[in-house]
Amino acid sequence: RMLDPRTGKLGPALQAAVSVPLTGARMDRTLVVEADSVVRITAESGVCALFKGNDLLTVDGLDAGCELVRLLSPGNYRVVVRPFAGQTGPGLLRWTAEPVVALKDGVGAEEWIAPAEVRVYRFRTASTGRVGLGVQTRAESLDCAVYDDGYRLLGEGCQQYLALDAGNYLLTVRQPPRSGSQALRFKPVLLGLAGARADVPEDYLKDFFRRIGIEK
């Protein structure tokens, strides 16, 4: 649990995967993250903010609620939900934590992803160079993005060819909650993690993606 800097009192802990009703007033809850995890926080109304101590990490939401997705290291965090324009409608506040999967060169293991779910992967480049990434799936309804270790967006799309420095990166794969959408099978694909030591030509990547059936 964590001290509320305004009152000096401990904020109530909110257990993972447990939903609590929004009260119509400002809510302040403590999240305890046990291991490196992809944390997803949703509230069906209001504006959400995520803090580490008193440092604001991210904020999201208007009258339609919020969705925060971040890679978090072990520790205590605060989520604050406040009314939008002085009003918070009925709804629930909930958070979940999922492990981060490390990727290597080639085609990754097959996974299922349901509407509104997010999968986050970590990968490392050995040196500066170009990296090709894709998602092998039968549908074209997934959203993908690449971030650096500071969660700065570097590229969007489920087929990318990026020039990256040596270091650690994140790949997110998300299925938006569209009407009538169903769970999908997919496989993440990465080529070129050796960087300049084994630079992969773009034409080869395009042909490889075409042959394994990656979405266009």
Side-chain angles (χ1 to χ4, degrees):
R1 303 179 78 185
M2 187 174 298
L3 288 174
D4 185 329
R6 302 176 308 156
T7 64
K9 296 181 180 179
L10 291 170
L14 178 59
Q15 300 299 319
V18 175
S19 298
V20 295
L22 298 168
T23 63
R26 181 181 183 274
M27 294 182 65
D28 192 332
R29 295 291 185 268
T30 298
L31 314 182
V32 179
V33 178
E34 302 288 352
D36 286 347
S37 303
V38 182
V39 171
R40 179 171 178 255
I41 302 165
T42 58
E44 294 174 345
S45 63
V47 179
C48 301
L50 179 65
F51 294 85
K52 174 68 171 177
N54 294 323
D55 296 329
L56 177 63
L57 301 181
T58 186
V59 64
D60 182 65
L62 293 172
D63 57 334
C66 71
E67 179 183 61
L68 303 176
V69 180
R70 286 295 290 260
L71 173 64
L72 299 180
S73 57
N76 293 340
Y77 298 84
R78 291 171 55 218
V79 58
V80 176
V81 183
R82 61 174 177 82
F84 174 73
Q87 296 183 350
T88 300
L92 299 172
L93 169 65
R94 186 174 187 266
W95 75 284
T96 58
E98 297 183 7
V100 183
V101 178
L103 291 179
K104 298 181 179 179
D105 260 312
V107 181
E110 183 177 80
E111 290 203 48
W112 284 90
I113 187 168
E117 284 190 337
V118 180
R119 296 286 181 270
V120 178
Y121 301 91
R122 176 181 282 147
F123 64 92
R124 178 174 178 80
T125 55
S127 66
T128 299
R130 291 196 171 271
V131 173
L133 67 93
V135 172
Q136 185 178 5
T137 180
R138 293 185 177 182
E140 298 184 3
S141 57
L142 300 180
D143 292 338
C144 305
V146 174
Y147 300 85
D148 65 14
D149 239 6
Y151 220 75
R152 181 173 62 93
L153 179 65
L154 302 179
E156 294 182 286
C158 289
Q159 185 173 326
Q160 300 185 51
Y161 190 58
L162 299 173
L164 300 177
D165 294 330
N168 296 309
Y169 297 90
L170 300 173
L171 166 64
T172 65
V173 180
R174 180 176 186 268
Q175 183 178 180
R178 300 185 178 96
S179 176
S181 56
Q182 299 178 343
L184 294 173
R185 291 185 296 179
F186 75 96
K187 295 179 181 178
V189 182
L190 282 177
L191 290 177
L193 297 187
R197 302 176 193 172
D199 216 3
V200 181
E202 186 172 6
D203 288 343
Y204 173 84
L205 287 173
K206 288 180 178 179
D207 180 63
F208 176 77
F209 289 161
R210 179 187 58 78
R211 285 185 287 108
I212 67 173
I214 284 182
E215 63 180 18
K216 305 300 182 185

